[in-house]
Amino acid sequence: MSSSKGNSPHKRHTRKQKLLIGLLIFIIIDVALFMFTVTRYTGYDLIKSEKYVEFRMPKERTLTEQEWQVLVKNTRVIKYPKVQLSREIDNIKSQYKKRIKEYDMTVAEYLKEADLSHSQFDKQIDEMAKENVKAKLVLHAIAEKKRVSVSKTEIDKAEKGILKEKGVNSETEYKKLTGESLSEHVKEIDLESKLLYAKIVKK
């Protein structure tokens, strides 16, 4: 960090407040990932999700948001699938790093500002990842039981929507603008699970 930053405690404090508020919002959104919105990207189509979680399978094909939240809260995780949990941790870390970079900081600077050790940071991410994986296991177990799926056409449409939101017309332009490919972004946010959630959980 430059000396000019160090000479302005008030400015650093304001910056810290903005940083922590911004990342707190990110944490809330990430933990409640499905509330805002199969699975070739995360591999849930390759495992029997139901064997990893214990919950009362709903009778209906769809749930309200409140019913969904109660269902996930009352779900017991038998064990976490290693591959899916590892990917979730990597994806959350990647999203964190992007947002920290937006504040023109390094991870080390962020940890200092947030008064977090590396172990505390890793524990925080681990807890978030477990919450996400738990919800996704429930989601995909329901989808498998109720025969709910997301088509390639729906995925393609959603990907076009992402390009439109960024104001670009092609994946090449998207990568030039964001520094990552569209496929990388889709994998990171687990687009297919979001689309699947939108079919099962109704507002």
Side-chain angles (χ1 to χ4, degrees):
M1 302 174 76
S2 66
S3 59
S4 61
K5 292 180 183 178
N7 292 332
S8 180
H10 178 70
K11 184 175 181 181
R12 184 173 61 211
H13 179 67
T14 301
R15 178 177 178 232
K16 179 179 179 180
Q17 284 184 318
K18 290 180 178 179
L19 171 69
L20 295 179
I21 290 172
L23 287 173
L24 177 61
I25 292 172
F26 159 66
I27 291 170
I28 293 171
I29 290 175
D30 193 84
V31 171
L33 178 64
F34 302 112
M35 312 309 169
F36 289 84
T37 25
V38 123
T39 337
R40 62 190 178 192
Y41 299 115
T42 53
Y44 288 90
D45 58 335
L46 303 177
I47 64 174
K48 286 285 185 181
S49 296
E50 201 170 355
K51 76 178 183 179
Y52 291 94
V53 285
E54 189 176 87
F55 66 97
R56 186 186 295 275
M57 181 66 68
K59 295 180 180 179
E60 304 299 326
R61 211 162 179 259
T62 60
L63 301 168
T64 64
E65 288 187 353
Q66 184 176 4
E67 289 171 335
W68 167 257
Q69 291 176 36
V70 172
L71 180 64
V72 174
K73 182 180 179 180
N74 293 331
T75 294
R76 184 178 76 87
V77 178
I78 300 170
K79 63 178 179 178
Y80 291 95
K82 292 181 180 180
V83 173
Q84 284 70 28
L85 181 59
S86 177
R87 287 175 180 171
E88 197 72 37
I89 289 172
D90 289 343
N91 289 340
I92 292 175
K93 282 185 176 180
S94 177
Q95 291 179 61
Y96 251 117
K97 288 176 181 178
K98 287 176 186 175
R99 282 157 181 79
I100 290 171
K101 189 176 181 180
E102 289 174 4
Y103 287 91
D104 192 28
M105 299 180 74
T106 65
V107 173
E109 288 173 332
Y110 160 68
L111 292 178
K112 184 177 180 180
E113 292 279 11
D115 194 24
L116 287 172
S117 66
H118 279 283
S119 61
Q120 289 173 323
F121 181 62
D122 289 340
K123 182 179 179 181
Q124 181 174 276
I125 289 178
D126 185 67
E127 290 173 352
M128 291 167 60
K130 285 181 176 178
E131 283 298 311
N132 284 354
V133 171
K134 175 184 177 181
K136 289 179 182 181
L137 287 168
V138 174
L139 180 72
H140 289 281
I142 294 173
E144 184 177 351
K145 186 75 172 180
K146 306 295 183 181
R147 299 184 182 278
V148 181
S149 62
V150 176
S151 69
K152 186 178 184 303
T153 299
E154 290 170 318
I155 295 168
D156 291 342
K157 182 179 179 180
E159 289 178 347
K160 288 179 182 178
I162 293 174
L163 295 178
K164 186 176 181 180
E165 286 178 2
K166 289 295 184 181
V168 297
N169 298 312
S170 68
E171 293 189 31
T172 300
E173 291 177 357
Y174 180 88
K175 186 170 185 177
K176 185 176 181 180
L177 177 67
T178 65
E180 68 176 348
S181 69
L182 180 60
S183 62
E184 289 171 336
H185 178 66
V186 164
K187 178 180 178 181
E188 185 177 282
I189 66 172
D190 194 0
L191 176 62
E192 291 188 78
S193 284
K194 285 189 174 184
L195 296 176
L196 192 59
Y197 171 85
K199 287 191 170 190
I200 293 176
V201 183
K202 302 298 181 181
K203 294 183 179 180

